[in-house]
């Protein structure tokens, strides 16, 4: 099981997406833990510190 993955979609659909200067998080570089199959973001964290910025409740 992949850490932070809460859906039952295939693991091949799971992505870790790094976004530099993300407008939603005050231009921080962030990591989205995302399922491409169901479209859910399950966790978003600060790339530099690892601080949790969002945790889905799915």
């Amino acid at each position: 099981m992949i850490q932070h993955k809460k859906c039952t979609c295939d693991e091949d659909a799971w992505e870790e997406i790094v976004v530099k200067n993300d407008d939603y998080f005050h231009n921080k570089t962030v990591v989205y833990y995302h399922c491409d199959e169901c479209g859910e973001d399950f966790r978003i964290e600060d790339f530099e510190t690892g601080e949790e910025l969002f945790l889905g409740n799915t």
Side-chain angles (χ1 to χ4, degrees):
M1 182 84 178
I2 299 174
Q3 185 180 12
H4 310 302
K5 183 178 182 296
K6 298 179 183 177
C7 62
T8 58
C9 299
D10 189 53
E11 289 188 4
D12 290 341
W14 184 249
E15 299 179 288
E16 294 179 16
I17 303 167
V18 177
V19 177
K20 291 184 179 181
N21 301 319
D22 192 304
D23 290 336
Y24 294 109
F25 296 101
H26 308 290
N27 294 319
K28 291 182 179 183
T29 299
V30 298
V31 181
Y32 285 80
Y33 294 90
H34 174 80
C35 179
D36 198 38
E37 190 170 320
C38 67
E40 292 292 325
D41 291 329
F42 293 105
R43 179 181 166 100
I44 303 170
E45 67 182 38
D46 185 303
F47 183 81
E48 299 288 326
T49 66
E51 173 190 1
E52 181 179 282
L53 303 173
F54 169 82
L55 182 62
N57 57 4
T58 307

